[in-house]
Amino acid sequence: MTTTSAETGLSLRHRPLTAALRAVAIVACLPYLGLKIAWIAGSRVGIPEGSALLDHRLVMAVANSVTVLMDASVVVLALLLTRPWGHRVPAWLLAVPMWAATGLLAPIMVGFPVQLLGTAIGGNEAPAAAEEPFLHDWVFSVVYGGFILQGLALGTLFVLYAGKRWGHLWRGRVWELPTGATGTFMRVTAVAGSLLALFPAVMHALWAAGGTTALPADRVLQRTTSFYLLEGVRVGFAVLAVAGVLLLAFRLRPALSVRGPLAAAWVGASALGAWAGWMILGALMPESDEGKQTPALLMLTYAGEMISGLLLTCAVASLLRRRGA
């Protein structure tokens, strides 16, 4: 069997699965898109009285429009990953939005179930002194449930797509990586990104342990079991990114399959970079209460996290580009 016929057979065998996954990814977008479009139109469904979301209507309309486009891009990605024309798309044009999607969805896919589990086994609720929530609880369940389905479906589609198009890049063992692929550029960016990730990782670990350094006063009042668990998840993604990149850059475990640390590096680095970038955008949103302004040290933590994620991603990109060449 020729390579072309083998790939065709693989494609035919996966066609029912990819069609089902595409449908799941698209349908999972509908609750979020429906809520956002309703809010843009002026609806208050899911928004309690006194919510901060009602303080800046124009800003919220613009922000909601941007997030509608972001979630709609999942539909485009689901089509790109399952249609023949998708294999003609330049690699970078697919890699960039998939990197962002991975970085934004992975923390939710891990964090939300952990949060639910922590609450179910006796986690504490928000103190009475905390301010009113900006959304009703059911909104988080509906939206985050949709995000988890999107992540599972889109992630599986991407693995199937990438395996057919670039599967040769992660075959073999770590010791088989050519020295040219793990050269000076990759090692320098890997070390720089790893060192820079230490500061935000320490800050998240401090908050997970109960520290309040750099946290706004309102955030301190709102801390619950979920807060501590989610901060621990942030530390986990930092460890995942650094470990994956360093294992590849310095070939620390020669007998290890390339696939494992490469997946860890991709997911961890994108979670650091994309999620921290999203937090920075959220922190820059205008506040009606001057006392709620984001402390400089907190912004520095987010910035360090984002830059470290970008550097570690550059290290991964360098490896893939050089090995492909």
Side-chain angles (χ1 to χ4, degrees):
M1 180 181 290
T2 65
T3 302
T4 302
S5 61
E7 290 177 353
T8 302
L10 181 65
S11 177
L12 290 173
R13 187 166 66 251
H14 286 157
R15 186 171 295 173
L17 175 62
T18 57
L21 290 170
R22 179 177 62 222
V24 169
I26 293 173
V27 171
C29 295
L30 298 182
Y32 185 79
L33 292 174
L35 280 171
K36 289 289 185 173
I37 293 172
W39 293 341
I40 293 171
S43 173
R44 294 189 179 183
V45 59
I47 304 177
E49 290 294 333
S51 171
L53 295 177
L54 302 175
D55 293 340
H56 302 277
R57 296 183 183 275
L58 178 59
V59 173
M60 286 299 105
V62 173
N64 286 329
S65 299
V66 171
T67 52
V68 163
L69 294 176
M70 291 173 61
D71 206 44
S73 67
V74 172
V75 177
V76 177
L77 286 172
L79 293 172
L80 185 154
L81 293 171
T82 56
R83 305 304 301 167
W85 54 265
H87 286 268
R88 297 190 295 271
V89 172
W92 69 268
L93 194 57
L94 171 62
V96 171
M98 275 306 306
W99 178 88
T102 303
L104 294 175
L105 291 175
I108 295 174
M109 295 172 66
V110 176
F112 190 57
V114 168
Q115 180 182 3
L116 293 178
L117 180 62
T119 302
I121 62 177
N124 63 306
E125 299 295 331
E131 65 176 17
E132 290 295 322
F134 65 96
L135 288 172
H136 289 304
D137 289 341
W138 66 264
V139 176
F140 292 100
S141 299
V142 170
V143 170
Y144 285 176
F147 284 160
I148 290 173
L149 287 176
Q150 290 176 40
L152 291 172
L154 201 63
T156 305
L157 287 174
F158 181 62
V159 169
L160 293 174
Y161 175 100
K164 288 186 288 184
R165 186 170 177 179
W166 303 302
H168 60 287
L169 296 180
W170 54 76
R171 290 178 187 148
R173 305 290 176 180
V174 170
W175 66 269
E176 295 173 332
L177 290 173
T179 55
T182 59
T184 303
F185 179 81
M186 181 186 183
R187 294 188 175 189
V188 169
T189 51
V191 171
S194 299
L195 291 176
L196 194 57
L198 286 176
F199 170 66
V202 168
M203 294 301 294
H204 285 298
L206 176 65
W207 297 331
T212 60
T213 303
L215 291 177
D218 62 317
R219 186 87 61 88
V220 172
L221 291 176
Q222 295 170 4
R223 289 180 303 164
T224 63
T225 298
S226 295
F227 170 86
Y228 301 122
L229 290 174
L230 293 179
E231 291 302 322
V233 169
R234 297 304 306 159
V235 177
F237 276 112
V239 172
L240 193 69
V242 170
V245 172
L246 292 181
L247 280 170
L248 293 171
F250 295 95
R251 296 186 286 186
L252 299 178
R253 295 289 300 274
L256 192 66
S257 171
V258 171
R259 186 173 304 175
L262 183 61
W266 171 268
V267 174
S270 62
L272 288 181
W275 191 262
W278 181 250
M279 296 302 293
I280 290 174
L281 287 177
L284 293 175
M285 298 292 286
E287 293 280 1
S288 57
D289 185 352
E290 290 296 328
K292 294 182 181 179
Q293 296 301 314
T294 305
L297 186 55
L298 182 57
M299 287 293 286
L300 187 62
T301 301
Y302 292 153
E305 196 170 9
M306 181 182 70
I307 296 171
S308 67
L310 292 173
L311 286 172
L312 294 172
T313 300
C314 286
V316 173
S318 173
L319 170 66
L320 294 176
R321 181 180 64 82
R322 289 176 180 273
R323 198 178 193 198

